[in-house]
Amino acid sequence: MSKKITIIDYGMGNLYSVQNALRSIGAEPVVTSDAAVIAHAEKILLPGVGAFGDCMANLEKSGLIPVIMDSLHSGKPFLGICLGMQLLFEGSDEAPGVKGLGFFKGQVRLLRTELKIPHMGWNKLELRSPSPLLEGAEGEYVYFVHSFHAEPEDRSIITSVCDYGMEVTASVGRGKVQAFQFHPEKSSRVGMRLLKKFVEFC
């Protein structure tokens, strides 16, 4: 089983924490913005730092959207994290009029809660639809930093939620494409366990 994980670098944010987390569990992270490398990757991770509109603009500018879409439809293991999950949807309140990747139908909406936004800190997962990456994660606490969350048209793709004065979509998945709104790389032993499941995902 290959432990090589290709991390898509679209020129935004510090990818060190994801790299470091993967190395700590014995994976071999490769950070790249090379479409040919991504096309031949066995497992792909799309991280997310920054704003929805800026990220989509950078992906467009870098020419990576076609290879990402091919990868999403290829049957390869694919993991989106935080904004990397939101980019998989059709659009976001954060950037009206900007099209997302649209792999999942639905929109990313501003959190509608009386609690402080952004939602920042630890929260408990409640599992919904089965996910190969979340087995045994019911009731575990993971780390969030976000102001927006996904509202899928097909609610059966929601694999977990959390409560933040409202029901927040914590993760989604369909087949080999899985995504977390929370940051596994910042979620201590639980996050490392979830990342390890992705490394072993085949």
Side-chain angles (χ1 to χ4, degrees), residues 78-114:
F78 190 107
L79 178 64
I81 294 178
C82 196
L83 186 62
M85 167 173 149
Q86 296 178 11
L87 295 172
L88 298 178
F89 286 84
E90 295 173 293
S92 173
D93 286 351
E94 188 176 20
V98 175
K99 288 185 178 180
L101 296 172
F103 181 76
F104 294 128
K105 299 294 183 185
Q107 296 289 322
V108 176
R109 301 297 188 192
L110 181 66
L111 295 174
R112 296 174 182 84
T113 176
E114 294 181 359

Side-chain angles (χ1 to χ4, degrees), residues 18 28 59 73 86 105-106 113 120 138 148 152 156 160 184 191 198 201:
V18 176
E28 301 167 17
L59 286 175
H73 290 283
Q86 296 178 11
K105 299 294 183 185
T113 176
M120 184 181 299
E138 177 69 40
F148 300 83
S156 73
S160 71
F198 179 65
F201 192 24

